[in-house]
Amino acid sequence: MNLKENFERQLSQNIDIHLALRHLVPEIDKAVSKIHKKIKLGGKILFCGNGGSAADAQHLAAEYIVRLRPKVNRRPLPALSLAQDTSTLTACGNDFDFSDIFLRPFQAIANKNDILIGITTSGNSINVLKVLKYARSKNISTLGFLGGSGGKCKKFCDIKLTVPSNITPRIQECHIFLAHFILERVEDLIIKKK
């Protein structure tokens, strides 16, 4: 397969998977409503994920704090990636366990008005699963950006945004699309409520 054929195949695959997200509209609506409600109550949005999903967590937290759309200026929204502090991550991995790297900061800063957003393409990342379980035990809202069948994490997510694919890059692309769409709607609600 030459480069053009490979590109066309992956482009078609990407489009097909994005179109398959249509069934998520009810969950997207719940996500927008829940995030907006938590922000109104003074809560924070706490993100976590591994590898590319850790980068997505930081990316999304930055867009809540700064802005997503260049012409939409609004107040900063309280958001934090639980994977951005290398000192805490490495100390926790060394002194406790890698499976605790999201749990420890979450235990330190989370409160009942927050929402935890776990990002995992497999739905089986142990450290994401562990913090989702803990959040559930404390009645803190949870949202999962998942892939495939949703894995073990789906059981501990109040809102499940599961991309129907097992191809990691396509899942990640859909996670960012979904997260951007949700943030745009949240922004619209915040601006309208002024």
Side-chain angles (χ1 to χ4, degrees):
M1 182 182 309
N2 66 32
L3 186 138
K4 183 178 185 301
E5 290 169 337
N6 192 354
F7 177 78
E8 292 287 344
R9 183 182 63 79
Q10 289 199 35
L11 182 61
S12 294
Q13 184 182 71
N14 185 303
I15 291 166
D16 290 344
I17 295 167
H18 273 77
L19 290 173
L21 301 177
R22 289 178 170 137
H23 76 282
L24 292 176
V25 169
E27 290 292 294
I28 292 167
D29 189 45
K30 286 182 202 171
V32 171
S33 177
K34 182 64 76 174
I35 292 168
H36 181 243
K37 178 182 176 186
K38 294 298 181 180
I39 290 169
K40 279 175 50 181
L41 291 170
K44 302 177 294 298
I45 305 139
L46 301 169
F47 293 93
C48 64
N50 295 288
S53 297
D56 290 346
Q58 290 181 342
H59 169 175
L60 296 169
E63 287 172 340
Y64 274 83
I65 292 169
V66 183
R67 69 179 179 188
L68 173 63
R69 299 176 279 182
K71 296 186 183 204
V72 177
N73 292 311
R74 39 92 179 147
R75 65 181 173 89
L77 303 176
L80 180 70
S81 167
L82 298 174
Q84 68 187 17
D85 176 357
T86 56
S87 296
T88 300
L89 293 175
T90 55
C92 187
N94 185 64
D95 297 354
F96 291 95
D97 190 81
F98 186 75
S99 68
D100 294 325
I101 63 169
F102 303 134
L103 179 63
R104 295 291 290 185
F106 187 82
Q107 288 173 324
I109 64 172
N111 69 58
K112 65 178 181 166
N113 290 326
D114 294 341
I115 183 167
L116 172 65
I117 299 180
I119 309 170
T120 166
T121 58
S122 68
N124 292 314
S125 300
I126 293 168
N127 49 15
V128 175
L129 178 62
K130 198 167 188 178
V131 72
L132 285 168
K133 282 182 179 178
Y134 178 81
R136 172 69 60 85
S137 76
K138 298 296 180 184
N139 294 316
I140 296 172
S141 296
T142 57
L143 185 156
F145 284 102
L146 311 169
S149 66
K152 295 174 184 171
C153 288
K154 72 180 174 188
K155 180 178 175 186
F156 300 97
C157 295
D158 302 321
I159 301 167
K160 302 161 201 60
L161 297 167
T162 306
V163 177
S165 173
N166 293 312
I167 304 165
T168 299
R170 301 296 85 83
I171 297 167
Q172 290 172 329
E173 291 153 3
C174 289
H175 283 172
I176 286 297
F177 169 76
L178 290 166
H180 283 165
F181 183 82
I182 289 165
L183 175 53
E184 284 184 12
R185 303 292 71 78
V186 171
E187 280 186 337
D188 290 344
L189 288 171
I190 286 168
I191 291 163
K192 190 164 63 169
K193 301 286 182 193
K194 281 185 175 180

